[in-house]
Amino acid sequence: MAKQKIEKTNAARLLDRAKIRYELIPYLVDENDLAATHVAEQLGEDIATVFKTLVLEGDRTGYLVCVVPGNHEVNLKAAARVSGNKKVEMLAMKELLPTTGYIRGGCSPIGMKKRFPTYIHSSALDCEFIYISAGVRGLQIKIAPTDLISFVGAEVAEISEVMG
């Protein structure tokens, strides 16, 4: 069976340019289930290694990016505190594409239209590698968390808590 050619995304090209090791991993998209848990199931990986990229807006600093494990939700108070805001809120879905260049389910912390302050949950450091969106639905980047953190200039912080 012929191996499917994977189209390189902008995020992958940026990593190539920086000579950072990563792997592109395709998965089947379910338009009705864009949750990280679905992605983890498709990859056959622990949900704690599949990170989602969420964009928030702070009352003082403007946009910020939080990268958290798929089974976590951003703690808005913690995100506000680490980012120097009084309060933060999730970016409205209709503003995601014009702000970042990405759509829901395909938002990567790498290669947004502008560089925003980025915060990665500390549990990433417990993993040899993590998965993040490659910038399109159906494709993940497998990368060492330390490489991602240094490449995007992220701050490691306690910004989320387990959902439920």
Side-chain angles (χ1 to χ4, degrees):
M1 193 164 127
K3 193 172 178 199
Q4 174 195 351
K5 181 164 173 20
I6 298 170
E7 280 294 311
K8 284 232 168 143
T9 62
N10 188 41
R13 285 189 287 277
L14 289 169
L15 291 172
D16 286 345
R17 211 172 296 143
K19 299 191 177 1
I20 292 176
R21 284 184 40 200
Y22 68 94
E23 215 178 311
L24 286 174
I25 313 283
Y27 68 93
L28 288 176
V29 177
D30 178 350
E31 294 294 333
N32 299 313
D33 185 4
L34 298 173
T37 46
H38 171 75
V39 176
E41 286 165 11
Q42 287 290 310
L43 297 174
E45 294 291 342
D46 183 339
I47 187 66
T49 66
V50 178
F51 280 63
K52 55 190 176 185
T53 303
L54 304 168
V55 182
L56 292 81
E57 190 168 4
D59 62 347
R60 293 181 176 161
T61 65
Y63 302 116
L64 58 131
V65 177
C66 290
V67 183
V68 302
N71 60 339
H72 280 219
E73 57 191 2
V74 171
N75 176 321
L76 296 177
K77 283 189 169 98
R81 191 170 48 252
V82 301
S83 64
N85 287 286
K86 254 196 175 133
K87 68 178 209 183
V88 295
E89 56 188 34
M90 292 296 292
L91 187 66
M93 202 57 63
K94 67 181 188 305
E95 293 177 40
L96 188 63
L97 181 60
T99 303
T100 66
Y102 291 127
I103 59 170
R104 179 171 179 254
C107 189
S108 178
I110 299 169
M112 290 188 182
K113 284 183 172 182
K114 286 188 183 143
R115 209 167 178 139
F116 300 116
T118 302
Y119 303 90
I120 296 182
H121 189 263
S122 59
S123 67
L125 294 175
D126 299 335
C127 307
E128 185 182 341
F129 53 80
I130 60 172
Y131 293 88
I132 57 167
S133 175
V136 293
R137 291 177 182 165
L139 197 58
Q140 292 280 299
I141 289 175
K142 179 180 178 180
I143 188 170
T146 50
D147 288 343
L148 176 65
I149 290 162
S150 62
F151 184 70
V152 300
E155 189 178 313
V156 176
E158 297 299 323
I159 50 169
S160 66
E161 55 211 4
V162 177
M163 290 189 293

